Each structure stands twice: as C-alpha cells, then as structure tokens.
Amino acid sequence: MGLEQSLDHLISLLYEYPSLPAELADEAKMVLNRLSAGHFHLAVLGQFKRGKSTLINALLGDEILPSGVLPVTLVPVFLRFGDHPEIEIHFANGRQPERYPLDRLGEFVNEANNPENTKHVAQVDLRHPTDLLRNGIVLIDTPGVGSTLKHNTEVTLDFLPRCDAAIVVLSADPPITAAEVEFLQQLKPHVTRFFFVLNKIDYLDSQEVAEACRFLNETLKTSTGIDIPQIFALSARQGLQARRENNEVLWAQSGMADFQGVLTEFAVNGKQESLVEAMHRRSINLFLKADHLLALEQYAMQMPLETLEHKIAAFKLHARRADQQHQDMLDKLNGDARRLREQLEKFAVALQEEVKPQLRALTETFGLPTCDKEQAASFYQAAERLFDREHVAASAQFKGILMAILAEHTQKAHQLREGLRQDAANLLDIPHIALLSEEVVIDLAEPAWAVEFVVTHLRPRRSSKWFPQAWQHQQNLEIREQLVNELTVRNVEKIRWWMLRTIDESIHNFRRKITTELEETTRQIDYALQTGYQRQQFEKEALQETLSVLNRLRGRLARIQQELEEAALL
C-alpha cells in the first residue's frame, strides 16, 4: 500500500470516529492533497542580489519575474503550470483573491509600486505554460534573505515547512557568507533535497570558478553538514540572454543547459520519491497521535469510574504542573531575551567606536569635503558597503545567539509535551511511543523595515579660499568629523533597531507556538479521558460495542502504519 492509500484510509478512520481531534484529519487531508496533486514545492532561496529571479526567468525562457539592483520580491511568488499566463493575488487582510494579466505582476511584488507591502499581499500564484512546471513542480520565488527592503513579516523562513526541495542560489562574490551558512543550518532539517547554484561565474575565469566551487563545497560540509555531489556553476544572466536570442551555444556556455537538464530529470523521475519522503515524515506522527488518543479513551472506558475519576484528577494535576513549568520556562526565556537585548546595546556602542576610524579613513581617501561629485558618490558607496558588512556580521552574530537560545527552549518545550503524553500513558498503564519529530519550527522573524544606508550629505559652505590654510584645514576636519559622527550614529542605530525587532518578534512568535502546542496536547488528552468517562456514565449498554469499534480502529491503524513503514523501505 502506498502513502496516498494509507493517508486516505487514515482520513476515513479519523472521520469515522468523531471524538478524535479535527486538526488531525485536516493535516492528513493537506498531506494527501499534496500527494494527489503531485505538486512538488521547489523553493528558490538565497540572499538579496544573488540572482534568484534571473535564474527563474532563464529556466522559464521568459522575462516573467522583475529583477534589478533593488529588492523587488516583497512576497512569495508561486509559479505553477497553466495554459495561459496570468497571476492570482492572495491578500493577508481577508480580501478575496484577484486575477490579473501577467504584466501587472510588478504592481504587487515591487517595492516601488507596493512600498512596505501596503497592498497587504500574502502571496502571488503565477500560471505559465512551461514544460518544467507541467511536470508538477511548483517553483517558489522567495524574498531575499537579508535584503534591505524586506517589509513582509512572513519571510522566507516561514516557508521551510512547505518546501520539499530547495534551489539555493549563491554567487561568486563571495561564494558564501556567514549569514548564508546560518540560513542553511536552519533549512537543513526541513528539506530533503538541495540543488546548489553558484551564479555569476561570468565574472570569473575557469580557475577561479573551480576554486570557488571547492571552497563552497568544503564550507558546506564543515559548517552545515551538507555533503552534495555537484555544485552548478552558471551564469543566469547569460542564460537569459541566450533564451532571448535563441542562442543554443550561449545557453550551453552559460551552464544553464546542464542545470535545466538535471531539474527536468528530477521533475520526471525524482520528485515523487522526494515528495513521498517529505510527506512520510509528516504522516507518521499523525498515526502516533491518533493511536495514543484512541488508546487513552479505550483504557478509560474499561477502568472503574471511581478509579478513572482519580486518574482524571491526577492528570489535571500533571497538566497544572506542566503549565507551571511552561510558565517558568517562559520566564527563563524572558530573562534570556533581556540579557540578549543588553548585549545588543553594548554591541551598538562598541560598533560606533569601531566604525568611526574606518569612515575617517574613507573621508581622507576620497578627499572630503573638497572633492568633486564623483568622488563624493564613491565615498557614499564605500560607506554603504561598510555598513552593509557590519549589518551582515551583526545579523550572523546575534541570530546565532538567538538560535542557540530558542534551540534550548525548543528542546525543553518538546520534553514538556512528551512528558505530559507520558504521564497520561502511565496513568492508564498504556505504552508510550514518542513522536518522531515534535520540534517547534524556529522562525527568525524579519521586521517590517530592514537596514538602509542613511545618507548625510555635505552641507555647502561659503568659499573660504581667502582664509588661512590652517583655518581651512581645521574647518575641513570639523566637517569630516561631523559627517563621520552623523553617519555612524544614524546607521548603527538602524542596525541596532533591526536586530532588536528581529529578537523581539522572533521570541514573540516562538512563545505563541510553544504555548499553543502545549495547550493543544493538554486539551486532546483531557478530551480523550473525559470521553471515556462520559461513555461509561451514559452509554453503558453500548459500551462493549464502542470498545469493539475502538479495537477495530486501532487494529486498522496499526496495519496501515505497518504498511506505511514497509512502503518507506521499498
């Protein structure tokens, strides 16, 4: 029996016995729908300016997605097969979806046309008659990790549970950053298949490409534990040009031909295997949860009422104890968050002192304030790169600390929920089987605003050529120092504020998730026990019949689970 049949039988079983939680059936239907449709979600992930949209355009052979020097993908774009190109806009404010011609896409995903996502777009479904999509693959163009204009709080990391495989787009400038390593570490537990693309190789010679690939491969192994057989070195820009010009030679030279060939082969032969693997992991917990709740109700129905009353009261004590432990854990989390904020404040002060000498050196290099407009523009570009590097470094540092904090509390939350399930099993003397993967997904929230370089323009002064040279020199030094101070304070504050929002929003989301998980576990167990109690009180004549139904259900569940396990080994 295949996974689809097993899930279909499970859904029937869950509906057949209405005391089981409705959310189990809902989740099983979601998994079954994914399998039945044959859709395989292939997310295109990477940092801003790595060339994700250009790569997708080259694969589709059409300049569909906007690309440029500014972040343009504010919301995820799901590219699905369709006979006619069109877009369907889904909104986050409850507004009904709307369909438009393909040329209206930029109105909803471009920062310039939809600043800070004021149109409340949740996602865009884009239909296109491309063979790659015809095979059931759904490409997802995601907001760039670490982009400077990421206003949508549902960022790329929220897609991890929905991704079956990922195309990770890196580029040769440099091959991989600390922020990308951190992102891949978060991505690894949730994705069964990776395709790594080293883009923009047209800026390198053959020896540099080989060295970049070796460096990338080694970094992936040592820093993320991801061992991959092949890195696809290519130029998406050249590939798109080749498709425009129908130039097969350039298409092959760009590296796109080889990459498209692998994706096509995967779409035809490999996607179903990977999809089944991804859905199998989600399915097995459904069986374990359902059987645990059925067992609790079954044994509760066979226990003397007085004894069962004591057991229910004892479980309520366990639940209150678990809730208190949960509150203690939240207090500890609040303390960890407070200490991290304090650390951030100290970091911001130290960063100002670290940046100022570098900015002073730049003002001297470019001859400020007496330089021409071209040199001034070069100065601002260099200063922007400086703050961008500091932002990336700060993000890697503090997100790493935040991840360690949340990972610790994730394990505690998992242990607390499993302990509650174990307590219920012990009270009724039934076996306890731990869930396979009960970890809470850690979403590092991006704030509505991300760091943008703040320009402090030089203020024009009256000509001072008649003043003594020493006085002019002193004036220039004062202008430089004022410029350095203003640039430092304003941009370091931007970095500090960005990281503070990241910390606060991430912890808020995490608290909500682990609280919901514990409440759901408590409610489901209590309902199973109370159902057994109510059946004993008011359904005495039908008790044996109900027990027989439960025995048959659990037997069917065990057979389905066994068949599922055997199918996974094939």
Side-chain angles (χ1 to χ4, degrees):
M1 180 183 293
L3 180 56
E4 287 188 51
Q5 290 176 291
S6 300
L7 284 167
D8 192 41
H9 290 173
L10 175 62
I11 291 170
S12 299
L13 185 149
L14 293 173
Y15 281 125
E16 184 176 330
Y17 203 71
S19 66
L20 285 169
E23 54 263 28
L24 293 183
D26 292 341
E27 186 178 352
K29 285 173 66 177
M30 181 275 296
V31 175
L32 181 60
N33 288 339
R34 287 282 305 279
L35 287 166
S36 299
H39 289 163
F40 187 84
H41 289 81
L42 183 56
V44 184
L45 308 170
Q47 281 194 315
F48 168 56
K49 291 183 180 179
R50 292 305 205 188
K52 301 185 306 299
S53 297
T54 303
L55 178 69
I56 294 174
N57 287 339
L59 285 170
L60 302 183
D62 196 352
E63 208 154 355
I64 297 170
L65 300 176
S67 60
V69 296
L70 294 177
V72 290
T73 307
L74 292 174
V75 295
V77 180
F78 287 69
L79 294 98
R80 311 173 189 274
F81 179 79
D83 293 326
H84 305 287
E86 66 174 355
I87 58 172
E88 185 175 70
I89 311 301
H90 297 264
F91 299 94
N93 57 3
R95 182 172 158 191
Q96 288 299 309
E98 298 174 1
R99 292 187 177 184
Y100 297 98
L102 188 57
D103 58 10
R104 299 279 301 274
L105 177 63
E107 297 178 23
F108 301 96
V109 302
N110 279 9
E111 169 64 24
N113 299 323
N114 184 16
E116 300 188 19
N117 196 15
T118 53
K119 297 180 181 179
H120 306 291
V121 179
Q123 75 175 53
V124 177
D125 281 348
L126 190 157
R127 305 280 176 176
H128 194 271
T130 302
D131 287 340
L132 183 64
L133 304 179
R134 188 190 301 272
N135 290 312
I137 279 184
V138 178
L139 286 175
I140 308 172
D141 185 25
T142 63
V145 180
S147 68
T148 59
L149 292 173
K150 195 178 295 174
H151 301 295
N152 190 351
T153 55
E154 297 210 351
V155 293
T156 300
L157 290 173
D158 292 331
F159 281 90
L160 300 189
R162 302 167 66 180
C163 296
D164 302 305
I167 299 174
V168 181
V169 183
L170 306 166
S171 69
D173 51 350
I176 191 166
T177 66
E180 286 168 326
V181 168
E182 175 196 342
F183 176 64
L184 287 170
Q185 289 169 344
Q186 300 168 50
L187 188 65
K188 184 184 173 185
H190 306 284
V191 178
T192 60
R193 177 72 183 268
F194 287 99
F195 299 94
F196 281 92
V197 167
L198 182 66
N199 193 17
K200 303 183 182 181
I201 64 165
D202 44 321
Y203 296 104
L204 306 177
D205 59 34
S206 58
Q207 182 177 350
E208 290 172 329
V209 170
E211 290 175 356
C213 288
R214 281 196 297 270
F215 172 78
L216 177 56
N217 208 328
E218 185 61 31
T219 302
L220 289 172
K221 281 193 225 178
T222 57
S223 300
T224 68
I226 299 173
D227 192 1
I228 55 174
Q230 183 178 5
I231 295 171
F232 296 92
L234 53 83
S235 170
R237 182 180 64 85
Q238 287 184 344
L240 183 57
Q241 179 186 348
R243 298 300 291 270
R244 286 198 210 103
E245 300 172 357
N246 197 23
N247 187 333
E248 293 299 326
V249 174
L250 182 59
W251 177 248
Q253 291 175 346
S254 71
M256 288 296 305
D258 290 340
F259 183 55
Q260 186 187 49
V262 169
L263 285 184
T264 301
E265 172 69 18
F266 179 71
V268 174
N269 299 320
K271 73 178 180 68
Q272 192 63 24
E273 179 182 347
S274 296
L275 179 61
V276 169
E277 182 181 350
M279 292 300 100
H280 175 265
R281 294 199 311 271
R282 300 182 191 180
S283 302
I284 199 69
N285 272 354
L286 291 171
F287 289 94
L288 294 175
K289 289 178 181 179
D291 185 65
H292 181 256
L293 295 174
L294 287 174
L296 288 176
E297 183 178 341
Q298 180 184 23
Y299 278 71
M301 289 171 59
Q302 300 177 79
M303 191 171 286
L305 276 177
E306 185 176 352
T307 304
L308 181 56
E309 288 174 353
H310 290 302
K311 300 289 186 181
I312 292 174
F315 176 73
K316 291 185 181 297
L317 288 176
H318 285 301
R320 283 198 291 272
R321 184 188 63 193
D323 183 65
Q324 183 58 56
Q325 291 174 340
H326 178 70
Q327 294 302 319
D328 293 343
M329 186 179 70
L330 293 182
D331 290 341
K332 173 66 165 53
L333 178 62
N334 289 338
D336 291 339
R338 185 182 65 254
R339 285 185 288 273
L340 185 55
R341 294 188 198 101
E342 292 171 354
Q343 187 175 346
L344 177 62
E345 297 302 323
K346 294 178 181 178
F347 168 83
V349 173
L351 182 58
Q352 287 193 32
E353 297 307 311
E354 179 183 334
V355 165
K356 283 181 180 179
Q358 299 178 62
L359 283 176
R360 291 190 189 105
L362 287 176
T363 62
E364 294 177 7
T365 299
F366 293 100
L368 273 70
T370 59
C371 61
D372 57 28
K373 290 183 178 180
E374 184 176 343
Q375 289 175 307
S378 298
F379 163 77
Y380 284 119
Q381 291 173 359
E384 182 175 2
R385 288 194 295 271
L386 169 62
F387 283 110
D388 185 61
R389 288 196 300 271
E390 295 298 341
H391 169 225
V392 169
S395 174
Q397 176 180 342
F398 281 93
K399 282 189 174 182
I401 300 171
L402 179 60
M403 280 293 296
I405 291 172
L406 296 188
E408 176 187 352
H409 289 282
T410 293
Q411 184 178 7
K412 291 179 180 178
H414 173 69
Q415 292 172 348
L416 194 57
R417 291 193 306 276
E418 281 301 298
L420 200 57
R421 295 177 74 245
Q422 176 78 66
D423 290 337
N426 290 343
L427 283 171
L428 273 72
D429 196 25
I430 64 174
H432 169 252
I433 302 176
L435 300 179
L436 296 182
S437 56
E438 192 68 3
E439 291 187 359
V440 176
V441 176
I442 299 174
D443 296 328
L444 294 180
E446 298 286 356
W449 175 91
V451 173
E452 292 176 356
F453 177 67
V454 177
V455 175
T456 301
H457 290 289
L458 294 172
R459 296 175 179 82
R461 294 197 175 196
R462 292 181 301 170
S463 174
S464 57
K465 65 181 180 178
W466 304 112
F467 291 94
Q469 188 173 2
W471 185 89
Q472 293 182 47
H473 178 70
Q474 182 61 33
Q475 287 293 299
N476 290 340
L477 287 178
E478 290 177 6
I479 294 172
R480 286 181 183 176
E481 193 63 20
Q482 180 183 354
L483 179 64
V484 165
N485 287 334
E486 289 187 18
L487 285 175
T488 300
V489 170
R490 295 179 69 183
N491 285 285
V492 169
E493 172 57 21
K494 290 282 188 178
I495 295 172
R496 186 201 68 82
W497 184 89
W498 186 90
M499 283 310 310
L500 182 62
R501 286 290 301 274
T502 299
I503 292 169
D504 289 346
E505 290 183 22
S506 298
I507 289 178
H508 172 75
N509 293 341
F510 180 79
R511 287 171 57 96
R512 184 176 65 245
K513 281 188 176 183
I514 61 174
T515 300
T516 300
E517 289 279 354
L518 180 63
E519 290 174 350
E520 186 177 271
T521 301
T522 303
R523 176 179 54 79
Q524 290 177 355
I525 293 174
D526 184 66
Y527 185 78
L529 297 176
Q530 294 290 350
T531 299
Y533 184 81
Q534 295 294 327
R535 291 192 189 282
Q536 283 208 63
Q537 276 195 317
F538 304 110
E539 302 177 19
K540 291 183 180 179
E541 294 181 359
L543 203 59
Q544 289 303 317
E545 182 180 347
T546 304
L547 283 170
S548 297
V549 170
L550 277 171
N551 277 325
R552 289 197 299 272
L553 287 174
R554 293 194 65 202
R556 285 167 52 196
L557 195 63
R559 288 193 297 274
I560 294 170
Q561 184 176 349
Q562 181 62 35
E563 290 164 351
L564 177 64
E565 294 289 354
E566 291 174 355
L569 297 175
L570 297 179

